[in-house]
Amino acid sequence: MSDSGVTGKGKGSEDEQSDAESRLGYRPEVRNPLSAEEEVNRISDRVRGWMDLKSKVTDMEAAAGSCEAVDPDYTKYFVVNHPWSVHNVEEGSLAQAMQNLRERLPRHGWKITKDGKMNSKAGDPEIVAVEPRTHHFLTVQWRRGLTGKVSELISVDVDSRCYRAPKGTDFPPR
């Protein structure tokens, strides 16, 4: 992945940085929010490709939001989240998509931290993974017991860790 959005280490109040670092357990990287959103969108595109499904995908882009742990007022720190789902697929395709992820995520540097049942009444399958180099994380849930128009789908959530925006960034960044 490109580091083109990296603007260097933060130079804000040292006390503020130390507080954020102690709460998070790491020093938040200084990133431009738009660059961080683009990176998460690229990750989502790769995950979609690894699933190898011909299906309808919800049409949403990644978006920066509050890093609740250190900045609930959303003034300097942010995370990027990209929730999306795939639906309207052929019978058996979702099972194959989950298997494809089990095989392809590790091949592309992701570490699967959970591959089992969701903690829900239905106990649907769930894969949770982290990319150790970039610290992005992924949650993939196969929702089999849905009702209504959508009978089953795979829900995907790609997230970043907390970043610190460069000085002068307007918040919210859109």
Side-chain angles (χ1 to χ4, degrees):
M1 277 183 215
S2 167
D3 288 338
S4 62
V6 177
T7 58
K9 301 292 179 207
K11 296 209 188 245
S13 158
E14 195 56 44
D15 289 341
E16 178 187 292
Q17 282 286 71
S18 294
D19 185 48
E21 189 172 344
S22 68
R23 287 185 191 186
L24 296 170
Y26 59 89
R27 185 176 196 95
E29 178 184 336
V30 175
R31 289 290 300 264
N32 175 298
L34 295 177
S35 170
E37 289 171 347
E38 289 169 2
E39 182 177 32
V40 168
N41 281 326
R42 286 191 303 272
I43 292 168
S44 286
D45 287 345
R46 282 188 218 117
V47 169
R48 217 176 347 265
W50 298 335
M51 291 170 81
D52 196 21
L53 280 173
K54 291 175 182 32
S55 62
K56 292 195 178 224
V57 178
T58 54
D59 205 11
M60 225 174 131
E61 295 290 317
S66 173
C67 176
E68 292 289 326
V70 295
D71 187 7
D73 295 329
Y74 195 27
T75 60
K76 293 179 185 148
Y77 294 89
F78 67 95
V79 295
V80 176
N81 173 254
H82 189 200
W84 51 278
S85 63
V86 292
H87 53 94
N88 290 354
V89 296
E90 293 178 18
E91 183 92 19
S93 296
L94 295 178
Q96 185 60 52
M98 294 294 279
Q99 185 58 37
N100 289 346
L101 288 176
R102 286 182 187 99
E103 295 168 6
R104 294 173 182 170
L105 284 166
R107 270 194 246 152
H108 293 279
W110 288 77
K111 180 181 179 196
I112 295 176
T113 59
K114 178 182 179 184
D115 184 358
K117 294 181 178 182
M118 290 177 8
N119 188 17
S120 67
K121 187 176 179 179
D124 288 335
E126 176 179 53
I127 296 172
V128 179
V130 65
E131 207 291 351
R133 190 175 53 83
T134 65
H135 306 286
H136 288 90
F137 51 99
L138 172 71
T139 304
V140 182
Q141 300 174 332
W142 178 9
R143 307 282 186 140
R144 296 186 289 195
L146 300 176
T147 60
K149 284 186 176 181
V150 180
S151 61
E152 63 180 338
L153 59 80
I154 290 181
S155 168
V156 180
D157 201 0
V158 180
D159 295 288
S160 74
R161 57 184 351 197
C162 288
Y163 295 116
R164 186 176 194 288
K167 283 187 179 188
T169 302
D170 291 329
F171 272 82
R174 290 240 176 225

